[in-house]
Amino acid sequence: TVTGPKTAVGYQDFTAGANNTATKQVTVTPGNPVTLNNLPYGTYTVTEANQVGEIVNGKYYFVSKTDSATVDLGTDKDLADDTATITNTYAPYRTVTITKDVGGNMGVTDYPFNFTTKVNGTDIDSTTVNTDGILEIDGRKIEISFTGDEETATLTKEGYTLADGDTITITKLKDGDVITLKETDGNSNGYTTVYKISETELSKDNDGNATYKVAGDANIIVTNERNVGTPTGFFEDNLPFTLMISAAGLAGIALIATILVRRQRRRRE
């Protein structure tokens, strides 16, 4: 809305407004300015009536705007041109992916590990995420999706499960959102559990919850390692001994058989 002095009524389709003013509605798109020519001198104020919540196919969200801009076209003796600029600021939505990784010589790659995760204190589970994969938080719609085996990468009443190679993707996040996650059964099964983004390990609280404050897109890799060492001194040291016992036993059996046969033969003779 452009608001100017009453003398602007009739110019560029200005109409009479309240309090001895003239007003005009204009539509402006980024990069395409609107020019109003031959207006009477005086002060004009441009106010944006509304802003678009999301732009670029929903990839950016509205952050802030210039409430209004005022221009002065001078006086009857000193006319001047001026430009009113209204600035809307948008920021990109962020995506955080949580990837399950299982390693070690005793790691079970097809086992679905249980997770709990919160976004700004709201749980991700089968009771909070609808059938369209939407988690609603304070009017926002956070998108939740899985990749991997449908039997292992899925929501549960307590949270969700992931097996080796499975992922959960959380989109429509904003910088500053806080994600808290925990794998609930890894350590209890003899695994060492580490949460990392690239090579940086996430800190954990006393309950084992890892926290990430969103600052750009990120891939959180949750790695489980479980290794069992080969027992020393049994197979290597005792194997020859076992073989010798077996060989001696067999020789003893053959010896006994030979003695018995010979004795029987001698008796018959």
Side-chain angles (χ1 to χ4, degrees):
T1 302
V2 182
T3 303
K6 186 177 181 180
T7 53
V9 173
Y11 289 85
Q12 295 285 336
D13 298 324
F14 273 82
T15 58
N19 301 319
N20 293 321
T21 61
T23 62
K24 175 181 174 61
Q25 301 294 323
V26 296
T27 300
V28 183
T29 58
N32 298 291
V34 173
T35 302
L36 302 177
N37 294 313
N38 302 317
L39 294 177
Y41 62 86
T43 300
Y44 293 78
T45 300
V46 180
T47 304
E48 186 179 39
N50 64 313
Q51 70 284 330
V52 179
E54 295 180 343
I55 61 174
V56 192
N57 297 323
K59 294 181 179 180
Y60 291 77
Y61 62 93
F62 173 76
V63 176
S64 63
K65 70 173 182 177
T66 305
D67 290 333
S68 63
T70 300
V71 296
D72 189 355
L73 300 188
T75 65
D76 59 341
K77 297 182 179 179
D78 187 17
L79 297 177
D81 295 333
D82 207 342
T83 301
T85 301
I86 297 293
T87 301
N88 287 356
T89 302
Y90 289 81
Y93 281 117
R94 303 302 189 181
T95 297
V96 171
T97 300
I98 300 172
T99 302
K100 188 76 197 81
D101 176 55
V102 178
N105 59 22
M106 289 297 289
V108 181
T109 57
D110 59 353
Y111 177 81
F113 291 87
N114 292 283
F115 285 81
T116 58
T117 298
K118 298 177 185 288
V119 179
N120 296 341
T122 299
D123 290 304
I124 296 177
D125 57 45
S126 61
T127 66
T128 58
V129 179
N130 66 24
T131 55
D132 294 324
I134 301 298
L135 173 69
E136 293 195 15
I137 302 176
D138 298 328
R140 294 168 52 191
K141 294 184 177 182
I142 309 298
E143 298 177 2
I144 308 295
S145 61
F146 291 89
T147 58
D149 191 324
E150 293 182 357
E151 294 184 359
T152 57
T154 185
L155 291 168
T156 66
K157 290 183 178 180
E158 295 76 23
Y160 57 91
T161 59
L162 297 175
D164 181 54
D166 292 341
T167 65
I168 179 174
T169 301
I170 310 170
T171 60
K172 291 298 182 74
L173 295 169
K174 299 179 180 180
D175 286 337
D177 286 341
V178 177
I179 294 178
T180 305
L181 69 150
K182 179 182 180 181
E183 184 185 280
T184 59
D185 57 355
N187 290 341
S188 63
N189 288 321
Y191 288 93
T192 299
T193 305
V194 178
Y195 307 82
K196 284 186 176 182
I197 296 178
S198 297
E199 296 302 317
T200 302
E201 184 172 348
L202 299 182
S203 61
K204 292 182 286 187
D205 62 19
N206 293 333
D207 295 324
N209 296 295
T211 300
Y212 172 61
K213 187 174 183 180
V214 178
D217 296 339
N219 181 23
I220 302 174
I221 300 177
V222 183
T223 301
N224 282 15
E225 289 277 350
R226 185 169 68 176
N227 292 288
V228 176
T230 302
T232 59
F234 179 77
F235 291 105
E236 295 178 357
D237 296 340
N238 292 339
L239 183 58
F241 178 66
T242 304
L243 291 177
M244 285 188 291
I245 293 174
S246 299
L250 291 174
I253 294 172
L255 177 61
I256 294 171
T258 302
I259 293 172
L260 290 176
V261 170
R262 286 181 179 178
R263 284 182 178 176
Q264 289 177 351
R265 286 180 180 177
R266 288 178 181 178
R267 289 177 181 176
R268 290 176 182 176
E269 293 176 355

